[in-house]
Amino acid sequence: MAPAFLMNPVTAFTKSASVPMTRESPAAEIRPFRVSIPQAALDDLRQRVLATRWPDRETVNDDSQGVKQATLQELARYWATDYDWRKVETQLNSLPQFVTHIDGLDIHFIHVKSRHPHALPLIITHGWPGSILEMIDAIGPLTDPTAFGGKAEDAFDVVIPSIPGYGFSERPAQTGWGPERVGRAWDVLMKRLGYTHYVSQGGDHGSVISDAMARQAPAGLLGIHLSMPATLPDAVVQAINNGGPAPVGLSAKERAAFDSLYAFFSRNAAYGAMMVTRPQTVGYALSDSPVGLAGWMYEKIAQWTYSGGVPERSLTRDQILDDISLYWLTNSAVSAARFYWENNNNNFSASAQKTRDIALPVAVTVFPGEIYRAPETWTRQAYPSLMYFHEVDKGGHFAAWEEPELFARELRDAFRPLRGK
């Protein structure tokens, strides 16, 4: 049997600030939450890292076979000797955190209200291999824009939930927790917090969940913002699936997007195929070896930041390890992978995501380090209700993590027309 600290994160090693977290709590209760990782779990992590059995070194001089051994060994050395989880734990506990029971699961979330009146409620959803930690540095610019060069009337109340199976949210024990169900849960959450109207933002899984929410169009949802929009036309999807060639008549930006996606699906998408088809099998290794988990996640953080493959140019080493440690300490590698199994669609395909069914206002920001840069032509075809489209010159797939102030400015600009509605 696994040690207690590797069991369910909500019931095993987190605790409420004032209210015991029990199954007897009323279903709609919102309970204060604090992160409290046992020292035994941190000691176990360090011992496992130090005891890593390393494979042979790669036989090439680049990363074409995966993360280079020297890179991961240095990360592991720092993780085992100098890294301090308690710093990010303190940072999280300085924020208002809560848990509430929705549709059979305990959902963990951060909820920071603006000091400015008439702030617009905003729910932000992370993806994989990210977490709520992606959004932490964007909270200030979003809730208090006057401190970051913005105007008081552009303030947001911010809600940042952990997707079920991720972080400190409960892990689903049955199937069915795909984007649509999460989207419905997010609407329940926002209404439970007392909001009668709100907007939604997402990247990665968060984009897919925000799309699902917009299709559902619950009362009070005013619009969505996406940093990874589903814009691929059917002809492009078919060409990629068939191994090319590119459809004729593409513009320069469309061809660049096609080439990026072709390279992604032909050389860098195996991680997704594994989690879509065999999340449990992948999870055995990722749940037993912290360095295995680190390699699995670090590779995508390296590829998807706007960093030229060196993620420490965009994020600090501690930020990267904070995120990896969160997955390890909550034992959520396999439950997170199952979200891919539940969402067995092409997340970039407009048809697969039924974007044309969305009537609510849609805003899109294109970051240069994203998996592909969605062309405006495809974006307008995919989202007939597009109200905002902007290409920026910094940031990647983890937009809020890499460029929190730019991310906040984009959301201010994108959602400004929806205020007061």
Side-chain angles (χ1 to χ4, degrees):
M1 182 175 178
F5 51 77
L6 293 183
M7 303 300 283
N8 188 300
V10 172
T11 58
F13 58 75
T14 59
K15 55 187 178 183
S16 166
S18 59
V19 181
M21 296 171 53
T22 66
R23 296 296 181 210
E24 289 71 39
S25 299
E29 183 185 9
I30 296 173
R31 293 112 66 192
F33 180 92
R34 287 181 63 83
V35 180
S36 182
I37 302 297
Q39 185 60 42
L42 302 178
D43 293 343
D44 175 77
L45 168 58
R46 178 177 180 274
Q47 291 166 8
R48 287 171 182 259
V49 173
L50 291 172
T52 299
R53 184 175 73 165
W54 293 93
D56 293 343
R57 179 190 176 279
E58 64 278 357
T59 57
V60 293
N61 293 321
D62 55 25
D63 62 359
S64 59
Q65 293 181 353
V67 181
K68 297 176 74 171
Q69 186 177 95
T71 300
L72 201 58
Q73 284 182 329
E74 175 54 26
L75 188 72
R77 183 206 62 77
Y78 179 79
W79 202 7
T81 58
D82 299 321
Y83 171 74
D84 184 2
W85 162 263
R86 297 300 184 195
K87 290 182 180 179
V88 71
E89 183 174 279
T90 299
Q91 183 182 32
L92 283 170
N93 287 336
S94 72
L95 298 168
Q97 296 181 88
F98 304 91
V99 166
T100 193
H101 206 65
I102 300 176
D103 197 8
L105 294 179
D106 279 340
I107 303 298
H108 166 261
F109 62 98
I110 297 168
H111 183 201
V112 182
K113 294 184 178 181
S114 174
R115 65 184 179 89
H116 299 293
H118 312 300
L120 180 62
L122 164 69
I123 186 166
I124 309 178
T125 311
H126 65 85
W128 182 95
S131 66
I132 56 168
L133 297 178
E134 293 178 62
M135 320 303 175
I136 299 301
D137 289 342
I139 292 174
L142 289 168
T143 59
D144 191 11
T146 58
F148 294 87
K151 299 178 180 179
E153 56 264 33
D154 287 333
F156 295 92
D157 283 354
V158 176
V159 179
I160 308 172
S162 299
I163 297 171
Y166 284 74
F168 299 112
S169 281
E170 192 170 358
R171 300 194 291 266
Q174 291 84 33
T175 61
W177 274 97
E180 291 77 13
R181 191 169 179 180
V182 175
R184 289 191 292 270
W186 281 188
D187 183 62
V188 171
L189 174 60
M190 296 302 281
K191 302 248 169 78
R192 188 171 293 177
L193 292 172
Y195 295 123
T196 58
H197 63 275
Y198 65 95
V199 292
S200 176
Q201 195 283 330
D204 197 83
H205 291 327
S207 287
V208 182
I209 291 167
S210 292
D211 271 351
M213 295 175 73
R215 290 194 302 271
Q216 293 161 0
L221 178 60
L222 301 178
I224 64 172
H225 176 278
L226 310 171
S227 55
M228 194 190 80
T231 65
L232 297 192
D234 289 343
V236 171
V237 174
Q238 184 176 6
I240 291 173
N241 288 342
N242 293 338
V248 298
L250 297 182
S251 69
K253 285 191 174 183
E254 291 169 347
R255 181 57 193 255
F258 175 87
D259 290 343
S260 295
L261 280 163
Y262 188 87
F264 170 76
F265 281 109
S266 61
R267 295 197 296 271
N268 296 309
Y271 78 98
M274 286 292 292
M275 291 193 287
V276 163
T277 60
R278 291 294 184 271
Q280 192 70 23
T281 302
V282 172
Y284 293 126
L286 302 184
S287 298
D288 187 61
S289 169
V291 168
L293 177 65
W296 186 251
M297 295 174 64
Y298 182 91
E299 177 179 280
K300 295 309 166 192
I301 295 171
Q303 289 181 338
W304 296 347
T305 46
Y306 190 48
S307 64
V310 184
E312 291 83 358
R313 294 172 180 165
S314 296
L315 304 167
T316 68
R317 184 164 49 177
D318 277 6
Q319 284 178 303
I320 295 168
L321 285 172
D322 290 342
D323 188 56
I324 296 170
S325 298
L326 178 61
Y327 276 74
W328 175 263
L329 294 168
T330 57
N331 195 18
S332 55
V334 67
S335 54
R338 288 195 198 108
F339 192 84
Y340 280 81
W341 185 89
E342 294 282 359
N343 177 36
N344 192 3
N345 282 320
N346 183 332
N347 292 339
F348 307 111
S349 166
S351 292
Q353 298 305 323
K354 302 179 182 178
T355 59
R356 296 193 68 83
D357 293 346
I358 295 174
L360 289 174
V362 175
V364 168
T365 300
V366 178
F367 291 86
E370 186 52 270
I371 293 172
Y372 79 106
R373 300 186 67 172
E376 185 171 2
T377 50
W378 291 357
T379 306
R380 293 196 177 279
Q381 292 168 14
Y383 295 94
S385 58
L386 186 73
M387 66 168 182
Y388 178 89
F389 180 91
H390 190 213
E391 296 175 292
V392 295
D393 60 359
K394 295 186 295 184
H397 186 70
F398 310 98
W401 210 12
E402 298 175 62
E403 299 290 341
E405 292 188 44
L406 174 59
F407 174 81
R409 289 199 299 270
E410 283 299 300
L411 267 59
R412 292 178 209 152
D413 292 344
F415 286 129
R416 191 171 291 123
L418 302 183
R419 292 179 181 272
K421 291 192 174 183

